[in-house]
Amino acid sequence: GLSAQTEKKIFAAKNRPADNPLILHIPDTNWLYRYAESVPESALKLAERFWPGSLTMIMPKNNIVPDETSGGLTTVAFRMPDNKYTLKLIELCGFPLAAPSANLSGFPSPTEARHVYNDLNGKISLILDGGRCSCGLESTVITFTEKGVKILRPGGVTPEMLCEFCEVEIDKAVTDGLEDNGKALSPGMKYEHYSPKAAVYMIECWDNSRFIEFVNNNYDENTLVLTNAAGKIRAKTIPYGSTDEREAAELFSALRQADELGAEKIFVKA
């Protein structure tokens, strides 16, 4: 919403740093004109293609939007969620919902209501169950440049998908991390996030046989493996995703399942 006091409660419930901006969730593209100081023409084209969906767009905010929402920045992030219950809720409220992912800061994002319950039971008064997330990854966050867009946080909408509409660059903070004392323009840029309790190892190899060989030579009783190539793996496995799309949709859920099973190490084929 647009209440600074309410938004402070969001940060408190999640143990979230106050300089980590929130995202305004809206039910209609026309709402951009209520809360953004200016709306790029390219934003409307991208909204037509990717909203509702996993794309968050950053624009200059107007004075209606509290600084608490934007982490003290002059810009604010907008997204239209791809869930009919959430969209209806925002319409009934009559104002945008300023919201992060419904998890404790640093933990994997929730992809179903029970994940929210596990993290935030007792910290929030209501959980609205809209079913499992269709994407399963965080949204892609972009800002606008003179030539096109810059990706500040990778997510469900890939650079290849965006390239069909405009020139795309990837912010250095995505690959190199945010510079010391740098301001986070987007959620997910500054602080450790989406991490399970276990240590996660991405194993780079071209085929399943080499992956299986590595796992069998390096696992212990506290290791869990996220894979569909479980046939000859001697470690405990969690099957997830038979395609790139399904892997993306099921990744956070699988990481949470590994935590629930007490894993100390997680192996994933890169």
Side-chain angles (χ1 to χ4, degrees), residues 7 23 35 54 63 65 70 77 89 93 121 138 140 147 151 154-155 180 188 196 206 228 250 257 260 267:
E7 286 165 11
I23 296 172
Y35 306 102
S54 298
N63 292 331
V65 180
S70 61
L89 175 63
C93 289
N121 180 37
E138 64 274 16
T140 301
K147 296 181 180 179
I151 294 177
D180 290 345
W206 293 105
N228 274 315
E250 297 168 17
Q257 187 181 347
E260 290 167 4
F267 289 153

Side-chain angles (χ1 to χ4, degrees), residues 155-267:
V157 176
T158 65
E160 291 77 16
M161 295 162 71
L162 292 168
C163 277
E164 296 181 24
F165 298 87
C166 57
E167 187 174 312
V168 178
E169 63 176 304
I170 299 176
D171 194 278
K172 277 185 63 179
V174 173
T175 53
D176 301 341
L178 199 65
E179 294 180 0
D180 290 345
N181 300 318
K183 283 194 172 184
L185 300 179
S186 157
M189 289 186 74
K190 186 172 184 179
Y191 299 96
E192 183 177 316
H193 55 290
Y194 318 131
S195 301
K197 297 171 186 174
V200 180
Y201 297 88
M202 300 290 291
I203 314 304
E204 292 191 35
C205 52
W206 293 105
D207 57 61
N208 284 334
S209 62
R210 293 194 177 188
F211 177 66
I212 292 170
E213 181 182 1
F214 175 89
V215 170
N216 288 342
N217 288 333
N218 292 277
Y219 81 99
D220 58 32
E221 62 180 6
N222 296 313
T223 300
L224 274 168
V225 185
L226 273 53
T227 181
N228 274 315
K232 298 180 180 179
I233 290 180
R234 292 194 287 268
K236 298 174 185 176
T237 63
I238 296 177
Y240 90 114
S242 54
T243 63
D244 289 347
E245 289 77 14
R246 292 314 308 161
E247 284 185 1
E250 297 168 17
L251 175 60
F252 285 148
S253 181
L255 292 175
R256 282 181 170 269
Q257 187 181 347
D259 271 349
E260 290 167 4
L261 293 172
E264 295 180 3
K265 260 191 310 193
I266 301 171
F267 289 153

Side-chain angles (χ1 to χ4, degrees), residues 22-26 29 32 36 38-51 53-61 75-80 139-144 149-150 152-153 157 162 166 185-187:
L22 300 174
I23 296 172
L24 284 185
H25 293 77
I26 60 176
T29 304
L32 290 173
S38 59
V39 180
E41 186 66 29
S42 53
L44 301 178
K45 294 178 181 178
L46 292 174
E48 184 177 0
R49 168 62 181 84
F50 296 108
W51 278 2
S54 298
L55 182 67
T56 295
M57 297 189 278
I58 293 178
M59 303 171 204
K61 75 179 184 74
T75 56
V76 68
F78 295 95
R79 187 166 85 88
M80 187 187 298
S139 63
T140 301
V141 181
I142 62 171
T143 188
F144 294 90
V149 301
K150 179 186 289 187
L152 303 182
R153 182 183 75 180
V157 176
L162 292 168
C166 57
L185 300 179
S186 157

